[in-house]
Amino acid sequence: MRIGILTSGGDAPGMNAAIRSIVRVANNHNVEVWGIKYGYKGLINEELIKLDNFIVDDISEKGGTILKTARCLEFMEESGIKKAIRTLKKFNIEGIIVIGGDGSFKGAERLSKSGIRVVGLPGTIDNDLNYTDYCIGFDTTLNTVLDCIGKIKDTDCSHEKTTIVEVMGRYCGDLALYSALAGGGEIISTPERKLDFDMICNQLDKNIRRGKTDNVIIITEKMYPIEELQKYIEGKLKISLRNTVLGFVQRGGSPSAFDRVLASKMGVRAVELLLRGSTEKAIGIRNNKIIHINFNEVNNERMIKEKEYDLLNVLL
Ligand code: F6P
């Protein structure tokens, strides 16, 4: 048997650990593994390389993805899918493992409708796939965010200042939420619990009046321009602030032990499923157990993590 792996969408720390696990487990079962470069683009353009145990040596500690990744609009069209299937047939690949987020899973589902066996591993720093407690990459990014905020806090504390920190997450507030739960910020605004400018000012004013003179306001990207918020607060409270957009710093870096182990365990399940002839499965972790569900059960409506937000009310 021959299988393929691709990483798609934004890179996430831990993708390499998943690749290593898949290659090692598959080779152990005498299954040949081909790496598809640049996500779905590589399937369309026939950019594949054979992977072996030697190539995946020492990659689990590396951030990014050795297979490279891309966002591929052509794959949204019927012609793109057809080209991809042609490539898979040409290379005799019977099943593929897609490592990526929401958009990558949609591509995976479309591909599986045309008879190719497909299994998905959730690899995204956003943690925006509801069916799994954690996506590969989220833990590492959360630690990176906390590390950056910790540094900002040292200066804020010394100068009694406030900084607005914008974190990634697309339309999911988990990075902001968990950063605040871990003690990274005093005020947070997320797509799930969005605060308007006045609410943020009132909260900040309250904090300053009670003697908390250094504050970090964590906001999820894409909600409002950070400079606008900064100017509004400065005008209203007559204080000067800084803003920091963490950007790609959050996606890079060596994966945490948690992400490496998670990725490795998910990789094992993916190979097992393909060996059993399964298809259209998304792998996840729930209550500390590796699980898989059908692609059509993956529901990406934003769910509010009520318990975590309630906890913030006590902690902040
Ligand atoms: O999905 C991961 C992510 O980093 C999001 O948090 C962010 O909105 C997006 O990717 C950025 O995409 P790009 O790599 O195209 O700038």
Side-chain angles (χ1 to χ4, degrees):
M1 187 184 181
R2 194 180 265 190
I3 64 170
I5 323 175
L6 63 83
T7 49
S8 155
D11 62 313
M15 281 180 161
N16 284 330
I19 295 168
R20 169 177 170 266
S21 158
I22 291 163
V23 171
R24 294 257 155 103
V25 175
N27 284 353
N28 201 35
H29 286 93
N30 295 319
V31 171
E32 202 174 281
V33 185
W34 283 71
I36 299 142
K37 296 190 81 182
Y38 311 107
Y40 293 113
K41 242 188 210 164
L43 263 189
I44 291 175
N45 300 331
E46 294 189 16
E47 291 184 82
L48 287 81
I49 48 162
K50 189 165 176 248
L51 299 175
D52 58 30
N53 281 348
F54 180 70
I55 292 178
V56 298
D57 250 356
D58 299 329
I59 63 166
S60 58
E61 68 250 42
K62 290 198 173 72
T65 157
I66 59 158
L67 291 176
K68 317 253 180 203
T69 182
R71 302 187 197 273
C72 180
L73 289 179
E74 200 185 343
F75 198 70
M76 305 284 181
E77 291 157 25
E78 214 32 54
S79 60
I81 305 256
K82 278 195 182 134
K83 283 186 198 160
I85 292 167
R86 208 183 309 141
T87 305
L88 289 166
K89 296 238 157 89
K90 183 171 167 186
F91 281 79
N92 283 324
I93 293 175
E94 292 168 59
I96 71 165
I97 298 170
V98 171
I99 312 171
D102 189 15
S104 312
F105 273 31
K106 291 205 177 89
E109 197 174 358
R110 268 199 301 277
L111 197 58
S112 61
K113 298 286 175 237
S114 39
I116 306 288
R117 275 185 251 157
V118 189
V119 173
L121 253 64
T124 166
I125 64 161
D126 300 337
N127 214 37
D128 59 351
L129 290 160
N130 281 341
Y131 74 92
T132 179
D133 292 342
Y134 295 106
C135 295
I136 298 165
F138 175 68
D139 180 69
T140 307
T141 298
L142 180 59
N143 281 294
T144 303
V145 169
L146 284 170
D147 182 48
C148 294
I149 291 180
K151 288 174 175 144
I152 291 169
K153 267 176 175 285
D154 287 344
T155 297
D156 274 353
C157 180
S158 309
H159 290 265
E160 301 196 328
K161 286 198 72 138
T162 290
T163 299
I164 311 168
V165 177
E166 182 189 289
V167 298
M168 280 185 159
R170 207 180 284 265
Y171 306 110
C172 172
D174 278 17
L175 279 172
L177 169 64
Y178 282 81
S179 298
L181 281 173
E186 280 63 41
I187 299 167
I188 78 155
S189 181
T190 62
E192 295 85 358
R193 288 280 165 89
K194 185 172 174 177
L195 304 183
D196 65 28
F197 287 7
D198 284 322
M199 289 158 99
I200 294 176
C201 283
N202 291 344
Q203 185 62 55
L204 180 58
D205 191 42
K206 223 164 89 186
N207 286 2
I208 294 171
R209 282 176 195 281
R210 72 171 170 82
K212 178 68 179 151
T213 48
D214 61 290
N215 288 273
V216 170
I217 302 167
I218 311 176
I219 62 168
T220 305
E221 62 177 345
K222 299 188 194 295
M223 293 197 301
Y224 21 65
I226 195 166
E227 289 83 9
E228 246 175 58
L229 174 61
Q230 177 182 354
K231 283 202 186 96
Y232 190 89
I233 302 173
E234 287 180 331
K236 191 158 180 189
L237 300 187
K238 308 284 175 255
I239 54 172
S240 93
L241 267 70
R242 276 210 174 243
N243 79 64
T244 303
V245 177
L246 294 182
F248 277 174
V249 164
Q250 296 160 96
R251 292 230 298 250
S254 180
S256 64
F258 179 87
D259 274 331
R260 294 187 209 183
V261 174
L262 179 67
S264 304
K265 287 184 178 173
M266 287 181 169
V268 175
R269 177 65 62 91
V271 175
E272 282 171 0
L273 285 171
L274 287 181
L275 283 172
R276 266 191 245 155
S278 299
T279 183
E280 295 192 48
K281 301 282 184 258
I283 296 169
I285 181 166
R286 269 192 219 146
N287 301 323
N288 224 7
K289 284 206 169 65
I290 301 295
I291 53 115
H292 57 265
I293 62 167
N294 294 325
F295 274 147
N296 60 13
E297 292 168 310
V298 175
N299 160 18
N300 287 326
E301 268 167 45
R302 290 269 42 83
M303 261 180 9
I304 300 189
K305 296 192 161 141
E306 303 282 358
K307 279 192 188 141
E308 282 82 353
Y309 280 99
D310 285 351
L311 182 55
L312 274 187
N313 290 335
V314 182
L315 296 179
L316 299 190

